[in-house]
Amino acid sequence: MASAVLLLLIFRLVWLQLVEGDKLRAEAQEIRMRDVPVEAKRGIIFDCKGNELTSSVSVDSAYAFPPQIKDEDRRQTADKIAYALDMDKEDVYKKLTQNVGFVWLKRRLDRESAQNLKELKLDGVALVEENKRFYRQESLAAHVLGFAGDDNQGLTGLESVYDHELKGKPGRIVIEQDALGDDIPKAMHKYIPPVPGNNLVLTIDQNIQFFVERELDHIVEKHQPKLAVIIVMNPKTGEILAMGNRPTFAPGDWRQYPQSIWDRNPSVWYTYEPGSTFKIITAAAALEEGAVRTSDTFYDPGSIKVADRNIRCWYDGGHGSQTFEEVCQNSCNPGFVTVGLRLGKDKFYKYISAFGFTRKTGICLSGEEIGLQIPQNEVTDLNIATMSIGQSIAVTPIQLVTAAAAVANGGVLLKPILVKAITDPDGKEIKEFKPEEVRQVISENTAKTLMSLLTGVVQKGSGKNAFVDGYGAAGKTGTAQVVERGGYVSGKYVASFMGYAPADDPQIAALVMVAEPTGSEYFGSQVAAPAFKAVAQDTLRYLQVPERPQVEKPKLPFVYEQPKLKVTVPNLEHFPAEEAKNILLNTGFVVQSRGDGTIVGSQVPKGGVQVTDGTTVILELRLLEPGEDNEPTVPDLRGLTIKEAGGILEKLGLHIKPLGTGFAFAQQSLPGSRVAKGTTITVEFKEERERSGQ
Amino acid sequence: MRQKKKSPDFVLFLIVMSLLSLGVVMVFSASEYSTMVNYNDSFHYFKQQLAWALLGLVAMFIMVRYDYWRLKRYILPIIIIAFVLLVMVLIPGIGREVNDARRWIDLGLLRFAPAELVKLCIIIFTAYGLSQQKGRINNFNGILPYLIVMVLAAGLILLQPDLGTAMSLACIVLIMLFAAGARMAHLGSMAVAGIVAIGFAIALEPYRMRRFLAFLDPWADPLDTGFHTIQGLYAIGSGGLFGLGLGQSKQKFLYLPENHTDFIFAIIGEELGFIGASLVILLFALFIWRGLKIAVTSTDPFASLLATGITAWVGIQAVINIGGVTGSLPVTGITLPFISYGGTSLLLTMIGVGVLLNISRFTAAR
């Protein structure tokens, strides 16, 4: 029996030593090894001309092997290190007493600290070469490049998306040591050299990017917007030549900026109603489907009624009779609404999808959004009407510029590319990114027609400020109200210009988008078009595109007939104070109230006066007059909704009998008259009032 | 009726000499680094082990010449000494506490672990007692006194606490009872009682439970209860077929604790590989074979039972130790006979071997 047990033990040895032996030996070896990591050199990011946008420089980092420092020396060693590296003594001591085999003391030292530490020659303390990322042009193309963290790991932008290419493979210095961390006799020493990372060659051109950054700075200086984006694309290849955002940051110093600035790229993330720039898409679809011809005539009386709602033209009184060409130049809302309704929802949605608005563009940046559309099976005629003028639909800047490039290049939607090639550390090309056609969206003929229409917009219409000297341009302005929590916010706009140049053989397509400019100017033609002009002008000259002598300059600069919306001040006399304030705030006025009391006594300006949007209305409050609590004064209810009017009468102790729907235009008891409490007042309502775009 | 003395069993002698010399060499190889770190002397343990080995050899030769039956005269003092030692070791001040266990008696210059002496004493006592029982062996009352003595001794050992030694002592006595012809029913019920007792002992002390479970899956708790076993397995596994070569162990660099005592077999496995380690197991198998052969061919029942007891002593320790080191059994702290570092244990094992060799001189030719 004893022999049988011993035989079993021999079988156990066979298992442990002959079957599992290699695995156990490798594991034991791994445990005995102490590692000193050797960081790989991170790849360089070049622009398309071979200029370094970011590269890595070698710096020293200090580390310690705590077990190698004798207990009795720890204090002293910590003090010396703290002095040399300008650190806190206690912090260093804590690091040295940690129960670990390896600890970083301080990363990325300046030259002097490194020298100090070297001279101390402390046991168990050493330096290793690491990389410091160096962004040569500070914040140039910051959102595109992103940045890498302390451990050579890309955190945002291309640094993050292509981290696997850029980071390389870290090397190791491996030393076999005893359990206490001392080198052992006949120890294994191995140096595994790091493999440097690959380089990226971008489609970005440093110079064009510079023009973009410069114009963005101008925009920020002049309009202090919430956000601004300029994207320049080569419409023939889909290559992004420049992509700039505001607010921006310096990648080398990213910790100094709030996360909301560096963690997302507005060019691919910001979703907004494009407004009139989207009319290009409406026009493209309608022309391609034969729903409109340039010579078709339209009559604009100043508004158009769609499903009980009036959609007003931005131009009070309307553009009158005009051809489709003029509709484009005038950016006439009723004209485009008519075209959109003629096109119909199925065809309209077909082109919204074909132009890429229902999908991500697939650009190699993280955080891309898709935009928003009303689902096709829920869409109403009113929705189609507003979508025709770029409302009730939300898109991203990159989607819009990609669609513009398709219009510019003869109708082919391209995938936007940002990285041209990946090269190895010796500069040899490993991978090339070729232009990718997604689909033909519109025919070349339609594109040509659009080109002449959009050239007209810049030559004669609302886009005159975008005219590029010597080259001309084709494009469209846009001014849209900002949507927040399901409603339009008065006084907040997105101004944009989308276009391409030269019109006859487009070399660049670009979008300038300025969200929520704060100055007096907020129209796309004022805020965005001039930036397009400046970027296009410099870029085309830089690209040595020959000038077009035949292109004529627009005769007159574009005149802003209506810089602000004209609105009528409501008559609020005898209104309860709170209700009066709410009505003013809801219709875009600024309110100031004076005096004590619950009733509006008088107001400045008076009711019925025409003023611009955002004017301050001062309310003089008064107390109830004798007997007024039993016999209230009837206010002027005109312009109010049934709900508003009812609420106010209720508050005064009166009742309402509404006739019709919409907004009040007549009332039984005249404003200012006194009636007995509990009286029912008949009020007549009708449809009126509408919002408009440019 | 005294037979003419033959020469002692030469094969057994060779086996013991092989294991002993291998042990001295391996104690040096295993301990040279840790003693260099702790005592600044690579030869610290080696010198002591060598001295004890020589002393053991002398003691063995003396016992070869000292005829075993004379031991019968000292049965009473022998059993008294055993119990006195077991009680003494528990008394604070006399018994020295190491790692929460009192297993050592401090004798000034050297520390003395009475466990091995107690084992030898109990073996002699039990062999004598059972040999006097003749026909009453299959009567439970006939074996009861020896069981009581064994249980008392094992109980005192458990108080140290030393579960491994108590278990091995119980196994030795059970094997001797079996050899004496006790009924299987009695042995079986005793084995069940023993297992129940061990179960209690484990359940009472949480550390035993953890250790017990650790051998089933050492990787479940690699830094604490499984640590020792894992480091041992790393050593053995690293050896492969031929081993890393004598003196080439890597696990001895403070990774494997107790590498010169309880876990010396792991270092053998690492340095000498499967060939060396299985050779050691084979030597123990041969030892058991020669020991049992002596027991069987001996004409005197006392000699026969004594030989059985000594052989069981060595064999069981070898199995428990190697089983523990290879992760096949719980780790108990039982040393590997002839090989593990430990002066008194080695000396007493050598005395036991001397007695065994002496018995071999009185065997009938077969």
Side-chain angles (χ1 to χ4, degrees):
Chain A
M1 193 191 85
S3 315
V5 172
L6 289 170
L7 195 67
L8 284 179
L9 288 177
I10 289 182
F11 281 136
R12 176 73 180 158
L13 283 185
V14 170
W15 173 254
L16 285 176
Q17 299 194 286
L18 306 185
V19 181
E20 294 278 275
D22 289 339
K23 193 185 124 213
L24 288 167
R25 187 184 310 139
E27 275 180 39
Q29 178 128 319
E30 193 59 36
I31 284 169
R32 292 193 299 265
M33 293 299 188
R34 293 294 181 281
D35 263 38
V36 183
V38 183
E39 206 177 66
K41 196 160 177 176
R42 199 170 171 83
I44 302 168
I45 302 181
F46 294 104
D47 82 342
C48 67
K49 295 275 159 60
N51 300 303
E52 287 184 9
L53 296 176
T54 175
S55 57
S56 291
V57 287
S58 292
V59 286
D60 284 318
S61 287
Y63 65 88
F65 289 127
Q68 284 191 8
I69 301 164
K70 293 199 183 83
D71 286 345
E72 60 268 26
D73 294 344
R74 287 235 166 101
R75 266 291 161 201
Q76 217 188 343
T77 307
D79 290 354
K80 284 183 188 167
I81 293 170
Y83 183 73
L85 304 185
D86 191 22
M87 292 172 73
D88 182 62
K89 285 179 185 178
E90 237 2 81
D91 286 352
V92 178
Y93 182 72
K94 257 181 221 150
K95 285 182 182 217
L96 293 187
T97 46
Q98 276 172 38
N99 188 21
V100 291
F102 174 93
V103 65
W104 285 113
L105 293 171
K106 197 175 185 184
R107 312 281 293 267
R108 297 179 177 82
L109 306 173
D110 55 66
R111 204 164 291 197
E112 194 189 349
S113 300
Q115 194 55 39
N116 287 345
L117 195 71
K118 242 180 243 171
E119 279 164 12
L120 285 174
K121 290 196 179 108
L122 296 166
D123 277 345
V125 178
L127 292 170
V128 68
E129 226 174 60
E130 287 200 291
N131 294 310
K132 190 184 169 81
R133 208 63 171 150
F134 182 54
Y135 297 86
R136 293 185 180 267
Q137 306 290 345
E138 292 195 359
S139 64
L140 189 87
H143 284 95
V144 173
L145 297 177
F147 50 83
D150 265 355
D151 286 310
N152 185 24
Q153 81 283 32
L155 293 177
T156 66
L158 290 173
E159 292 269 33
S160 159
V161 174
Y162 283 96
D163 194 40
H164 57 285
E165 294 285 355
L166 289 165
K167 71 178 173 197
K169 247 182 96 181
R172 298 157 74 191
I173 299 168
V174 188
I175 309 160
E176 202 172 16
Q177 290 177 331
D178 74 15
L180 299 181
D182 284 325
D183 290 4
I184 58 177
K186 290 187 228 163
M188 281 186 55
H189 280 256
K190 257 195 293 187
Y191 175 66
I192 304 162
V195 182
N198 293 325
N199 305 322
L200 296 185
V201 180
L202 305 190
T203 59
I204 298 277
D205 186 305
Q206 183 178 299
N207 288 304
I208 302 173
Q209 182 72 33
F210 171 75
F211 302 145
V212 163
E213 303 282 357
R214 184 195 65 201
E215 287 313 311
L216 284 168
D217 285 342
H218 279 170
I219 289 171
V220 169
E221 199 182 319
K222 209 170 160 196
H223 304 288
Q224 282 113 36
K226 184 177 148 203
L227 279 177
V229 169
I230 300 180
I231 305 172
V232 181
M233 195 185 225
N234 178 341
K236 293 175 179 170
T237 58
E239 291 172 329
I240 305 283
L241 300 173
M243 178 187 273
N245 302 284
R246 289 295 178 278
T248 190
F249 63 99
D253 222 2
W254 59 275
R255 281 195 184 80
Q256 307 297 317
Y257 297 84
Q259 185 178 352
S260 58
I261 288 182
W262 50 253
D263 78 343
R264 45 198 182 181
N265 181 343
S267 296
V268 300
W269 156 78
Y270 187 66
T271 307
Y272 69 108
E273 289 200 355
S276 302
T277 50
F278 199 71
K279 287 173 182 167
I280 296 181
I281 307 304
T282 313
L287 289 166
E288 179 75 16
E289 290 292 329
V292 73
R293 281 175 303 174
T294 48
S295 54
D296 287 0
T297 54
F298 294 80
Y299 182 75
D300 168 22
S303 70
I304 182 170
K305 188 165 179 164
V306 181
D308 297 343
R309 290 267 309 261
N310 268 319
I311 297 174
R312 267 180 26 182
C313 191
W314 62 275
Y315 186 77
D316 263 1
H319 292 97
S321 182
Q322 48 188 344
T323 61
F324 186 59
E325 195 177 352
E326 287 161 335
V327 165
C328 290
Q329 287 168 18
N330 294 333
S331 193
C332 172
N333 286 348
F336 273 97
V337 167
T338 311
V339 170
L341 290 171
R342 264 196 220 164
L343 184 60
K345 73 170 177 184
D346 291 342
K347 284 177 183 161
F348 200 5
Y349 268 78
K350 181 179 139 197
Y351 285 91
I352 287 172
S353 166
F355 271 111
F357 291 108
T358 54
R359 256 167 250 111
K360 293 183 182 184
T361 62
I363 191 172
C364 56
L365 287 171
S366 52
E368 186 178 0
E369 283 291 334
I370 304 175
L372 280 170
Q373 298 89 37
I374 297 165
Q376 197 176 341
N377 53 9
E378 292 171 20
V379 77
T380 64
D381 276 354
L382 181 62
N383 296 143
I384 293 292
T386 51
M387 281 162 70
S388 307
I389 56 172
Q391 295 170 3
S392 311
I393 183 166
V395 301
T396 62
I398 189 70
Q399 281 178 331
L400 212 49
V401 79
T402 308
V407 171
N409 69 19
V412 183
L413 189 75
L414 295 161
K415 181 181 164 182
I417 38 180
L418 202 45
V419 178
K420 204 177 201 154
I422 296 170
T423 62
D424 69 11
D426 301 325
K428 224 179 77 195
E429 195 168 282
I430 301 171
K431 193 171 175 189
E432 195 192 347
F433 295 90
K434 292 231 167 70
E436 270 181 60
E437 287 188 12
V438 179
R439 67 181 76 83
Q440 183 88 32
V441 186
I442 50 171
S443 69
E444 224 166 299
N445 265 336
T446 304
K448 250 185 209 150
T449 311
L450 268 173
M451 187 266 281
S452 80
L453 289 176
L454 296 173
T455 308
V457 171
V458 173
Q459 200 78 31
K460 304 169 190 161
S462 55
K464 282 178 185 170
N465 288 343
F467 183 85
V468 184
D469 291 342
Y471 298 100
K476 186 78 198 68
T477 60
T479 310
Q481 262 179 292
V482 172
V483 177
E484 267 173 26
R485 279 182 239 103
Y488 290 96
V489 186
S490 88
K492 285 190 180 177
Y493 298 91
V494 178
S496 55
F497 185 88
M498 174 163 117
Y500 50 92
D504 54 6
D505 178 25
Q507 302 296 313
I508 58 164
L511 171 73
V512 178
M513 185 220 71
V514 184
E516 302 179 30
T518 54
S520 59
E521 297 178 316
Y522 60 90
F523 280 121
S525 52
Q526 300 167 309
V527 176
F532 174 89
K533 171 198 166 104
V535 168
Q537 187 109 53
D538 288 344
T539 302
L540 294 177
R541 281 191 187 137
Y542 163 72
L543 294 174
Q544 297 181 327
V545 177
E547 293 199 12
R548 271 58 170 172
Q550 75 279 13
V551 174
E552 266 181 64
K553 256 186 143 171
K555 295 265 159 33
L556 292 163
F558 185 64
V559 185
Y560 317 111
E561 285 104 343
Q562 281 180 314
K564 287 222 171 182
L565 292 172
K566 280 271 192 278
V567 283
T568 309
V569 180
N571 179 4
L572 297 166
E573 275 171 39
H574 315 303
F575 269 58
E578 281 311 304
E579 278 71 13
K581 279 183 204 166
N582 285 339
I583 286 167
L584 284 174
L585 290 172
N586 289 343
T587 41
F589 292 96
V590 178
V591 186
Q592 216 180 321
S593 59
R594 286 193 208 144
D596 288 333
T598 52
I599 300 288
V600 177
S602 59
Q603 67 184 75
V604 178
K606 289 276 174 219
V609 173
Q610 291 258 318
V611 295
T612 52
D613 199 14
T615 301
T616 303
V617 176
I618 301 163
L619 300 178
E620 297 277 1
L621 302 184
R622 65 169 172 83
L623 295 167
L624 288 178
E625 285 168 17
E628 205 178 3
D629 48 344
N630 283 325
E631 213 182 53
T633 312
V634 179
D636 186 352
L637 299 168
R638 280 177 296 175
L640 300 181
T641 62
I642 295 179
K643 211 177 147 203
E644 285 168 338
I648 283 156
L649 291 179
E650 205 68 41
K651 184 100 184 204
L652 295 169
L654 301 170
H655 304 297
I656 187 168
K657 184 185 176 198
L659 296 176
T661 56
F663 302 94
F665 75 96
Q667 64 192 76
Q668 186 190 13
S669 309
L670 291 179
S673 62
R674 300 267 285 259
V675 296
K677 217 168 193 175
T679 308
T680 300
I681 296 172
T682 308
V683 183
E684 291 178 61
F685 293 85
K686 70 168 186 187
E687 293 297 338
E688 212 240 326
R689 275 169 97 181
E690 199 46 63
R691 205 174 26 77
S692 77
Q694 184 185 340
Chain B
M1 73 160 276
R2 302 275 172 249
Q3 295 159 330
K4 201 173 168 213
K5 282 194 221 175
K6 301 193 293 187
S7 54
D9 187 332
F10 189 64
V11 176
L12 185 67
F13 175 72
L14 275 185
I15 294 166
V16 171
M17 287 308 291
S18 309
L19 289 170
L20 187 66
S21 34
L22 179 71
V24 173
V25 172
M26 290 315 297
V27 163
F28 171 66
S29 177
S31 70
E32 51 114 2
Y33 190 78
S34 55
T35 55
M36 191 65 201
V37 171
N38 295 326
Y39 301 97
N40 206 19
D41 175 8
S42 295
F43 298 97
H44 180 78
Y45 288 131
F46 170 72
K47 285 188 287 197
Q48 293 196 24
Q49 183 74 349
L50 187 62
W52 281 104
L54 293 174
L55 199 64
L57 275 175
V58 171
M60 181 187 80
F61 282 119
I62 291 171
M63 292 313 288
V64 170
R65 297 190 163 273
Y66 178 85
D67 289 343
Y68 70 92
W69 69 80
R70 296 186 196 176
L71 289 169
K72 291 179 184 175
R73 284 182 229 160
Y74 306 111
I75 291 301
L76 198 61
I78 281 172
I79 197 67
I80 289 170
I81 287 170
F83 278 92
V84 167
L85 285 171
L86 284 178
V87 173
M88 269 174 68
V89 83
L90 293 176
I91 300 169
I94 302 173
R96 189 187 155 105
E97 195 167 330
V98 179
N99 297 337
D100 291 331
R102 291 182 197 282
R103 296 181 187 174
W104 308 86
I105 292 175
D106 242 323
L107 298 177
L109 275 177
L110 56 101
R111 285 188 306 171
F112 166 65
E116 301 302 322
L117 179 54
V118 169
K119 277 184 210 160
L120 184 57
C121 292
I122 300 281
I123 288 168
I124 295 168
F125 169 77
T126 309
Y128 174 75
L130 290 177
S131 66
Q132 300 300 306
Q133 295 298 316
K134 307 243 160 64
R136 289 196 290 148
I137 206 82
N138 49 12
N139 184 332
F140 194 73
N141 289 336
I143 59 175
L144 193 60
Y146 312 103
L147 281 178
I148 292 170
V149 168
M150 180 271 279
V151 168
L152 277 177
L156 285 169
I157 292 168
L158 266 182
L159 289 177
Q160 295 183 1
D162 187 350
L163 181 63
T165 301
M167 272 168 59
S168 60
L169 182 65
C171 287
I172 292 165
V173 172
L174 282 184
I175 288 169
M176 290 175 73
L177 283 169
F178 171 71
R183 285 169 61 180
M184 286 308 282
H186 294 159
L187 288 174
S189 50
M190 278 182 279
V192 169
I195 288 166
V196 170
I198 291 167
F200 269 110
I202 287 174
L204 280 176
E205 290 284 346
Y207 84 91
R208 288 187 182 133
M209 184 57 113
R210 282 205 308 275
R211 268 200 189 182
F212 186 79
L213 292 178
F215 104 91
L216 294 173
D217 182 13
W219 271 272
D221 185 12
L223 295 178
D224 187 19
T225 52
F227 179 79
H228 217 141
T229 306
I230 288 173
Q231 294 302 328
L233 294 181
Y234 279 156
I236 295 175
S238 298
L241 182 57
F242 297 107
L244 300 178
L246 192 61
Q248 300 301 310
S249 162
K250 291 284 173 75
Q251 285 297 94
K252 69 184 176 186
F253 294 116
L254 311 183
Y255 287 97
L256 178 62
E258 306 294 341
N259 55 26
H260 59 295
T261 56
D262 301 356
F263 271 72
I264 195 160
F265 187 77
I267 301 293
I268 293 174
E270 185 181 10
E271 296 195 345
L272 307 180
F274 173 72
I275 291 176
S278 53
L279 196 68
V280 170
I281 295 178
L282 218 61
L283 283 171
F284 279 108
L286 287 175
F287 181 96
I288 293 167
W289 167 57
R290 292 312 290 188
L292 292 181
K293 190 172 176 227
I294 291 165
V296 170
T297 53
S298 156
T299 49
D300 175 4
F302 171 61
S304 184
L305 285 171
L306 193 55
T308 305
I310 293 168
T311 307
W313 173 21
V314 170
I316 281 169
Q317 300 233 132
V319 168
I320 293 179
N321 176 276
I322 297 173
V325 173
T326 55
S328 326
L329 293 172
V331 176
T332 51
I334 295 282
T335 54
L336 187 59
F338 309 114
I339 296 180
S340 285
Y341 171 81
T344 49
S345 145
L346 180 60
L347 177 63
L348 284 153
T349 314
M350 291 304 285
I351 289 173
V353 170
V355 173
L356 194 55
L357 285 170
N358 179 262
I359 294 170
S360 74
R361 300 179 70 179
F362 298 94
T363 52
R366 275 218 184 170

